[in-house]
Amino acid sequence: GDFMSSFRRPESQISAEWPPEEFVHLRSSRIPADTVAAASFDAGDPMDFSWPNYQGFWGKLWYLVKLPICVLLYYTLADVREDTARAYFVWTFFGSIIWVAVFSYMMVWWTTVIGVYINLSTTLLGMTLLAAGTSIPDLITSVIVARKGYGDMALSSSIGSNLFDITIGLPLPWLIYTIAHGGQAVSVDDTALGWQVGALVLMVLCTVLGIALHRWRLTYVLGITLLLLYALYIAQAFIIEFVWVPPF
């Protein structure tokens, strides 16, 4: 299920979801019209705050953990899955963006505080904790569309979001800062910057090569391969932080 699964009705009352296949073809663009229509209107059930008696211990614990944030969002955003609230989809859309900005600011703040207390650089925390936190929406979106059979959308979304972060998410705040401060430059930590850029390019090449070797299909083996690549990237980041500083 998705992030709100604990607040939905029991599984016996929910229509069966399209079962995921072992893999999803990335090039499958010819999808029947009835399948597209069903997926387009499958928005899920409205919010239900009833106690999840049908779930086990971990399901009830997860219900309690996410209850505060779900209550906050429920009373500040219109649940467009309800027939009476569908006309307010514009407010829900922009309100969601505002909440994402608020949560992102808080996450960056807390990450910086954690780094100060455990003596870790903000560069390392940005590549690990902060990067993982900001990528959770991409993860949820990719899982949802991949389970519905749109593997090409899942892959292009993950790549496109990173491209947007680099070409818009980085220069736009810098531009606003320099304009507000009379052209003052933004100082960044350039330790091993060339090495990190090279590692990033190598990771992208390995990802594309791995998908090509699996005949453009999302398989379990490909998933494990990408997880191992990410583990290697995190390992080299820790090595640079504590053991060895590259010359560029």
Side-chain angles (χ1 to χ4, degrees), residues 193-217:
L193 182 61
W195 178 276
Q196 295 291 359
V197 172
L200 179 62
V201 173
L202 182 61
M203 288 289 296
V204 174
L205 293 177
C206 290
T207 300
V208 176
L209 180 60
I211 296 175
L213 292 177
H214 286 82
R215 299 181 179 180
W216 303 97
R217 296 177 178 180

Side-chain angles (χ1 to χ4, degrees), residues 7 30 62 70 80 83 86 89 108 133 147 183 185 213 218 241:
F7 295 115
R30 296 182 179 180
W62 181 237
C70 288
V80 295
D83 295 335
R86 291 185 177 178
F89 69 93
V108 171
R147 287 172 65 88
L213 292 177
L218 301 179
E241 178 73 15

